[in-house]
Amino acid sequence: MALDRYFAICNPLNYQRIMRKATCIKICIATWTSGFLISVIHISFTITVPFCGHNKINHVVCEVAAVLRLACIDIRLIEAVISGVGVVVLLVPLSLIIFTYLHIISTILRMPTASGRHKAFSTCGSHLMVVTLFYGTTIVMYMSPRSMISMENEKVISVFYGLVTPALNPLIYTLRNKEVKEAVKKILSRNED
């Protein structure tokens, strides 16, 4: 989304040429491949660890960190590798998103009309909200020292980035659509009568 917004605002005359269907497919494949590779790394560590007895995972979802707490061995090295993967997976894309939005904001601020700036900011605002919600919670979850997050807070954070943020995506993105806004207003005005 950040690339799409970047080309739409910073390079609008070349948008159609750059953001073709083939480009979108390549971006999707890269995203899915990286997600698959991360899962393979997590699974390979999890299946090689010996677990003690029959313990319950005190968690909402089956997080890698929660599963590894049940291990009978010292898992500091595994946690360090998973944190390293987290740095690459979380901070590299977030850095690229921040970099593109800095260019977008500088382009928007140079726009001559207030209406143009408003339209450009409203186009980017919903995506920035989702990015902030998702990356903020996942960075706290995967990059904070385990001693800083209680088990209860970890549950809340995992539910937030795993369920709440994806559930908000359709709402955030569709409310930008003029027809959806009009339909919501119509429904709300009927309920007031």
Side-chain angles (χ1 to χ4, degrees), residues 135-159:
Y135 278 100
T137 54
T138 53
I139 286 171
V140 168
M141 181 73 173
Y142 289 106
M143 299 187 73
S144 297
R146 290 284 147 226
S147 60
M148 289 183 65
I149 305 174
S150 70
M151 183 68 78
E152 293 305 312
N153 286 343
E154 195 174 281
K155 289 178 192 177
V156 171
I157 292 168
S158 68
V159 166

